[in-house]
Amino acid sequence: AKGGGGGGGKAASPAARVAGDAIPPSLLRKLKALNYPDPDSACLSGQDYCKIVLWLEEEKIRLYEKIDRAPLRKFDKAWYEAVASYAKELGVPAEGFGEKALPVKLSVLNGLTNLAVHDIYRDKAEANELANAVPRQQAAMGEKQRLGQLLPALNRIMRSFSLPELPQDSPDADILAGLRCIYVRVAPSTADEASLDLSKLPIGLDVPDPEVRKAVAVLRLLHGADLQQLQVNINTVINELQQLTANPQTDSRLGRVGR
């Protein structure tokens, strides 16, 4: 960073809150992730807003030298002009930035916060301080085993059918699959149950040998199941990406600044 962190602004008594000056929860979460010291008072009006901008520059972004931050510490009428110029240097749009322009103030604050998050992420990535973590939902699912008490009896039945036994830490999904496997072998077949005729299944190939044709039909069925699972995986990835990119104010062109 160019300069050190530090102080707060100099001004008269703080202005009262105005309607519509609440900070969106998504932006507030980012400020908390950056360890902003006073998230409860964070808003888009009065000195509370000015303090957030000043804190982001002094503690996170640090574009200016400490002595050059003086205009950002004086919360007067010239403050908005100084911040507009500051935002322009960072590539954050600030057209129409002013005390009463709440949407513009929100956009500028979001842009500065994104810069701070991006800068810290780059620093940690370069220092190899980032570790891959299992998503909380996936970890929670992996820890749950509500059907574990069925494993001893299930494994005895699996042995009787010469099937591989399940380990004691098997997840519920594997236990359910084992139960279905046993059910298929012990459940009586019904007269109305339709059987799959592999010889009549279209395979898209000219195979004169009937046994080879059945094998190809089985492979096509397995391939179709794999394609279905692939589509499910693709849909899951798309949904997760949409959750990460749901904020339209995120600017992917923002580069690293300071430090």
Side-chain angles (χ1 to χ4, degrees), residues 145 147-148 150-151 154 166 170-180:
Q145 190 194 56
L147 303 178
L150 301 179
L151 271 174
L154 178 59
L166 296 175
S170 297
D172 284 354
D174 290 351
I175 297 175
L176 286 174
L179 291 172
R180 293 191 185 99

Side-chain angles (χ1 to χ4, degrees), residues 112-237:
L112 296 178
T113 305
N114 287 340
L115 276 173
V117 172
H118 182 272
D119 196 21
I120 292 176
Y121 179 85
R122 285 284 298 272
D123 286 346
K124 289 185 177 293
E126 292 174 359
N128 293 324
E129 296 178 358
L130 297 177
N132 293 328
V134 178
R136 286 178 295 178
Q137 182 179 4
Q138 180 179 347
M141 291 176 62
E143 295 172 358
K144 291 182 179 179
Q145 190 194 56
R146 301 178 179 178
L147 303 178
Q149 69 274 14
L150 301 179
L151 271 174
L154 178 59
N155 280 333
R156 287 198 298 269
I157 299 175
M158 299 281 274
R159 282 197 303 269
S160 67
F161 284 100
S162 300
L163 296 173
E165 299 182 27
L166 296 175
Q168 293 300 317
D169 58 349
S170 297
D172 284 354
D174 290 351
I175 297 175
L176 286 174
L179 291 172
R180 293 191 185 99
C181 184
I182 298 301
Y183 174 78
V184 170
R185 284 163 172 75
V186 301
S189 58
T190 60
D192 298 334
E193 184 178 355
S195 59
L196 179 62
D197 189 352
L198 294 177
S199 62
K200 295 182 180 180
L201 188 70
I203 61 175
L205 298 172
D206 185 13
V207 181
D209 190 316
E211 296 302 321
V212 176
R213 180 183 175 83
K214 290 181 181 179
V216 173
V218 171
L219 291 176
R220 282 190 61 86
L221 289 173
L222 293 175
H223 180 61
D226 288 342
L227 290 178
Q228 184 179 18
Q229 184 59 44
L230 176 62
Q231 184 63 57
V232 172
N233 295 340
I234 291 174
N235 292 339
T236 301
V237 171

